[in-house]
Amino acid sequence: MKESEKNVLVILIAGIGDLIMASKALRALRRGYQDRCLHLLTSKEASILAQNYPYVDYVWSLPVRELRRGKSQIFAF
């Protein structure tokens, strides 16, 4: 198996409440894929909480609120 096939990316671009509701699903993913590296992409606010989840290996944050308000030029050409 290739190294890239050993990773699982969960995308949950939502708030803290949605992350809390999804925590059981994340735990189940960890139990089902114990040999995989579990990555989580979530909002900047929720990533603070997710950093403490023992069943997530890496947490990536996305500034969702800034993107919605147009404060970020991340997609500008």
Side-chain angles (χ1 to χ4, degrees):
M1 185 178 287
K2 296 178 187 176
E3 187 65 31
S4 62
E5 293 174 352
K6 295 183 181 180
N7 295 313
V8 176
L9 173 62
V10 177
I11 301 173
L12 182 65
I13 306 299
I16 295 171
D18 293 328
L19 177 66
I20 292 170
M21 295 299 292
S23 63
K24 287 186 180 184
L26 292 170
R27 191 175 341 149
L29 279 171
R30 167 53 62 210
R31 288 182 182 153
Y33 296 102
Q34 293 179 1
D35 60 334
R36 307 289 172 93
C37 187
L38 187 60
H39 295 257
L40 174 65
L41 175 63
T42 189
S43 65
K44 187 167 64 171
E45 296 80 17
S47 69
I48 297 167
L49 177 64
Q51 296 282 338
N52 297 316
Y53 280 12
Y55 31 84
V56 175
D57 297 309
Y58 296 99
V59 177
W60 305 92
S61 65
L62 186 67
V64 176
R65 289 183 188 213
E66 288 84 0
L67 291 172
R68 286 183 183 160
R69 292 184 186 139
K71 292 181 181 178
S72 175
Q73 299 296 321
I74 200 167
F75 299 111
F77 290 91

